[in-house]
Amino acid sequence: MSIYSSLSRNSMLSVAPTVAEMMQFPVHSGSMTEFHMDRPEDDAIVEKMFYELMIKRGYMNLPEPAKRLLMAKPTSGKWIMIYQDKLADWQAEQKRRAAASSSSGKDLDEDSPQWYVKKIMEGTITTQQLASLSVSLRTQPIG
């Protein structure tokens, strides 16, 4: 029985600390803030985190061969995907915070929802910008 079948049956199964507990950010080094997340020593924790990533990103809706290919990745490859996902989330949050702290109604951040709404309302949005919005809507967490 694989970890995936046992996790799908026991969705409340907890063999590891939560991802939030595993993450240590922001880490301050001098005046810079940087992302840091240690790889768990236990591969079962990495497997659980990868399963959560597959659900979060909608990979469970992929065709079976693609899902099998992802699940067959070595643990190190799964960890890279987990780390990159959390880094992207952290970077997006940093961008949101910077935009919120500097938003005085002047220039909007090009990736902000307000910027896209403004461009659409003005009728000046390009095809490439719409494509970028489409990618952001599929990959970025809402909220």
Side-chain angles (χ1 to χ4, degrees), residues 112-124:
S112 72
Q114 296 86 351
W115 184 85
Y116 285 109
V117 169
K118 180 180 177 209
K119 294 297 265 182
I120 291 169
M121 296 299 288
E122 292 172 347
T124 59

Side-chain angles (χ1 to χ4, degrees), residues 39-136:
R39 184 187 189 280
E41 292 181 23
D42 187 353
D43 286 349
I45 295 171
V46 175
E47 292 291 333
K48 179 181 184 284
M49 293 170 73
F50 187 73
Y51 183 77
E52 291 170 357
L53 173 69
M54 290 187 66
I55 292 169
K56 173 185 173 188
R57 292 294 181 198
Y59 298 157
M60 298 305 280
N61 298 327
L62 291 172
E64 266 317 300
K67 280 197 293 191
R68 278 196 300 273
L69 198 61
L70 280 172
M71 289 181 199
K73 278 182 150 312
T75 307
S76 60
K78 291 175 182 178
W79 174 249
I80 290 170
M81 288 180 68
I82 292 163
Y83 185 89
Q84 291 297 324
D85 178 66
K86 295 303 169 192
L87 175 61
D89 288 349
W90 182 82
Q91 288 171 333
E93 181 61 28
Q94 294 301 313
K95 215 174 196 182
R96 274 192 285 275
R97 288 181 182 176
S101 68
S102 69
S103 72
S104 58
K106 296 179 185 173
D107 296 325
L108 293 173
D109 179 29
E110 188 170 328
D111 289 333
S112 72
Q114 296 86 351
W115 184 85
Y116 285 109
V117 169
K118 180 180 177 209
K119 294 297 265 182
I120 291 169
M121 296 299 288
E122 292 172 347
T124 59
I125 195 162
T126 66
T127 305
Q128 185 176 2
Q129 290 165 337
L130 276 173
S132 178
L133 173 60
S134 174
V135 170
S136 292

